[in-house]
Amino acid sequence: MKKIFSFCFFCALTATVYAQKKEAFDIVTFTPPKAWKKQPAESALQFSKEDAAKGTYCSITVFKAVPGTANSKENFDMAWTSLVKETVTVSTPPEMQPSAAEDGWEVQSGYAPFENDGNKGVVILVTSSGFEKMMNIIILTNTDVYEKNVTDFLESVNFKKQNAGSNTQVTNPVKPEQVNAVVKNDGFTFTTTNFDDGWTSTVQEDWVEVKKGTTTVLIHYPKEGTVFPADPDVLTNAAWNILVAPRYSNLKNYKTTYISTYNRPYLGFGYLTENSTGKEVYVLLYRQGETGWLEFVTTDKNSFIQQFKFDPDVIRWDSETDLLKPLAQMATYNKFAIGATDFKGTWTSDFTGLQHLYNTYTGNYVGMNIHQSSQTFQFGVGNTYNWKLLFVNGTVGNTKYVDVKSSGKFSVLNNWQISFSDIEGKPKKYDAYFAC
């Protein structure tokens, strides 16, 4: 394996002319392998080929560019950790090949044997660094049959022209985008919630705005490019550039940090000037688990510390995550009351759960329990509804199911509860709210 791929490590920027039409993805163009399966995704593009009879395969995955450092080897190491090791199990460090440079890009490449679910092969990582970006290509294969295809593909890769001043690192655009907070009118009854503790939430076009006094928290809606496998600083920088930077200028004292824990939090913070007001503010961007990205805006750092009892500058990488509970709590303010006219059309909820069973004395596998449910509410005119629940439960091969349905009228109580006249033969009331 080492010998057959020794030729595959070269500058991936060589201009080569092919009769086959080139394709573009993110910041690169290339000639795709002929007759290979193409699988596009949000943050990557994959080409694959296999021979089921012989058990051989090869895949080439091109990842979108992400912010990188000026050190190409450092970028390679980050990509090896966050991309390769998250995909397959490698038993040795990568064997590096000579680097190459052209047109402002430097290429680092390396390979190692891998094993994944009993399958063995070679994984190759090619990391191109330049203009404060890095772009990665991963190749997985267990044969030399596709060596020429891989070589031709890598030789065909060209980068689109990059401007030295245009990068994806933490920056501020020359012409910043002006964004004004305008309440979103999306047809729902309530777009503002006044909470008992003084916070007020308002539905906006790109986020839920939560305010109390001089503190503002933006609960950002999911956006492409803000979540992908990467080291904490790379991911935080990318999210900052997309969600924060366009609305500010004059970034100062920017830092990123994280806490090493299972449910790892990501934080980036610094001083900025608001484009809309011209005022300097302190901004902290935070994400942990299912919170989504939360943007905290205060008049200065001390105001942030007083409000949330947390100083990001003195956090230790192994600190207890209890410090961050006040930040995570802000995600719960994405909550709005309901009105009867909000309920239209068909609403569904599905659930599936599996339970594998083993003998406690012998350890032998003895079967599997399955639980599935599908619930549907269909709302009509005059506050009418049709309800249906399909429920399946039991050991595989001996499952039982229940199919129940009813219809009637519903009503909204105190704007935070909904009552149905007939669910399983009797009236039923639920707590209810909307989240954006």
Side-chain angles (χ1 to χ4, degrees):
M1 284 294 183
K2 175 180 176 180
K3 181 178 179 181
I4 64 172
F5 283 106
S6 61
F7 180 68
C8 287
F9 297 96
F10 46 76
C11 178
L13 312 174
T14 306
T16 308
V17 178
Y18 290 86
Q20 189 177 346
K21 185 178 179 181
K22 283 215 169 194
E23 292 187 10
F25 178 74
D26 194 30
I27 64 171
V28 296
T29 62
F30 51 83
T31 303
K34 192 174 181 179
W36 283 41
K37 183 180 179 182
K38 179 180 178 181
Q39 294 176 284
E42 182 176 313
S43 59
L45 177 64
Q46 185 179 85
F47 297 96
S48 60
K49 184 82 170 179
E50 67 174 334
D51 187 331
K54 296 181 180 179
T56 57
Y57 65 89
C58 183
S59 69
I60 303 171
T61 305
V62 183
F63 293 87
K64 280 187 175 181
V66 295
T69 70
N71 188 318
S72 63
K73 181 57 168 62
E74 184 178 297
N75 291 339
F76 176 91
D77 292 340
M78 287 192 297
W80 187 268
T81 299
S82 61
L83 293 178
V84 173
K85 287 187 175 182
E86 289 292 326
T87 305
V88 294
T89 301
V90 289
S91 56
T92 63
E95 184 165 336
M96 300 300 298
Q97 300 296 301
S99 61
E102 186 176 328
D103 294 335
W105 293 92
E106 185 172 357
V107 179
Q108 297 281 353
S109 52
Y111 65 93
F114 76 84
E115 183 171 355
N116 195 45
D117 296 330
N119 298 316
K120 296 182 179 180
V122 168
V123 56
I124 304 166
L125 172 64
V126 180
T127 300
S128 302
S129 300
F131 305 92
E132 297 183 342
K133 302 176 184 178
M134 67 169 169
M135 195 277 294
N136 297 289
I137 299 175
I138 290 182
I139 300 145
L140 297 171
T141 187
N142 64 352
T143 178
D144 61 354
V145 172
Y146 306 108
E147 178 184 356
K148 187 176 186 307
N149 299 109
V150 173
T151 301
D152 289 346
F153 176 84
L154 291 177
E155 285 182 335
S156 75
V157 174
N158 284 283
F159 284 87
K160 300 174 184 177
K161 187 176 180 180
Q162 304 291 311
N163 295 322
S166 174
N167 57 66
T168 54
Q169 265 292 45
V170 176
T171 184
N172 294 289
V174 177
K175 294 181 179 179
E177 174 188 358
Q178 295 287 342
V179 180
N180 297 318
V182 178
V183 176
K184 180 176 175 60
N185 183 10
D186 51 15
F188 288 87
T189 304
F190 296 96
T191 56
T192 299
T193 302
N194 297 309
F195 291 91
D196 293 340
D197 58 3
W199 290 99
T200 297
S201 296
T202 307
V203 179
Q204 307 288 340
E205 184 67 32
D206 295 313
W207 52 69
V208 169
E209 182 184 79
V210 190
K211 290 181 68 71
K212 182 165 73 170
T214 59
T215 300
T216 300
V217 181
L218 305 183
I219 305 174
H220 285 277
Y221 304 147
K223 203 165 189 178
E224 182 179 358
T226 60
V227 179
F228 55 89
D231 283 355
D233 54 343
V234 175
L235 176 57
T236 305
N237 289 349
W240 181 281
N241 291 330
I242 294 171
L243 302 176
V244 179
R247 294 175 287 109
Y248 300 90
S249 57
N250 303 324
L251 175 63
K252 295 189 299 186
N253 303 326
Y254 176 78
K255 296 180 183 178
T256 62
T257 188
Y258 72 98
I259 299 175
S260 182
T261 180
Y262 170 74
N263 193 18
R264 176 184 290 178
Y266 301 84
L267 300 103
F269 46 91
Y271 278 91
L272 294 152
T273 300
E274 288 182 325
N275 296 329
S276 58
T277 66
K279 296 179 180 179
E280 185 177 72
V281 292
Y282 181 78
V283 178
L284 181 140
L285 186 66
Y286 161 80
R287 175 178 175 267
Q288 184 175 12
E290 300 301 318
T291 65
W293 288 104
L294 308 181
E295 179 182 341
F296 297 78
V297 185
T298 56
T299 53
D300 52 40
K301 178 185 169 184
N302 288 334
S303 298
F304 174 86
I305 295 174
Q306 290 175 10
Q307 179 65 58
F308 298 104
K309 308 299 186 278
F310 166 69
D311 185 349
D313 278 312
V314 299
I315 191 171
R316 300 198 325 270
W317 69 273
D318 59 347
S319 297
E320 292 294 330
T321 55
D322 285 351
L323 292 172
L324 300 177
K325 283 184 177 180
L327 304 188
Q329 177 68 21
M330 296 307 300
T332 65
Y333 289 87
N334 183 359
K335 185 179 294 184
F336 299 91
I338 60 173
T341 58
D342 295 333
F343 294 90
K344 303 172 185 177
T346 301
W347 299 59
T348 62
S349 174
D350 301 302
F351 175 81
T352 299
L354 299 174
Q355 181 183 36
H356 294 277
L357 306 175
Y358 295 86
N359 187 295
T360 56
Y361 300 103
T362 66
N364 292 332
Y365 182 71
V366 294
M368 177 174 64
N369 277 343
I370 184 171
H371 171 92
Q372 289 181 306
S373 64
S374 176
Q375 185 172 208
T376 302
F377 283 92
Q378 188 172 24
F379 296 97
V381 296
N383 286 18
T384 60
Y385 72 92
N386 291 302
W387 172 77
K388 180 179 180 180
L389 173 66
L390 175 63
F391 179 85
V392 180
N393 187 48
T395 305
V396 173
N398 187 30
T399 55
K400 299 179 180 179
Y401 76 93
V402 176
D403 185 2
V404 293
K405 59 184 70 176
S406 63
S407 61
K409 287 198 171 187
F410 72 92
S411 59
V412 171
L413 312 176
N414 63 46
N415 298 123
W416 293 99
Q417 293 180 315
I418 185 170
S419 177
F420 296 95
S421 60
D422 182 7
I423 299 291
E424 295 183 277
K426 59 183 179 181
K428 194 161 187 178
K429 181 171 61 177
Y430 297 92
D431 292 330
Y433 64 88
F434 282 114
C436 300

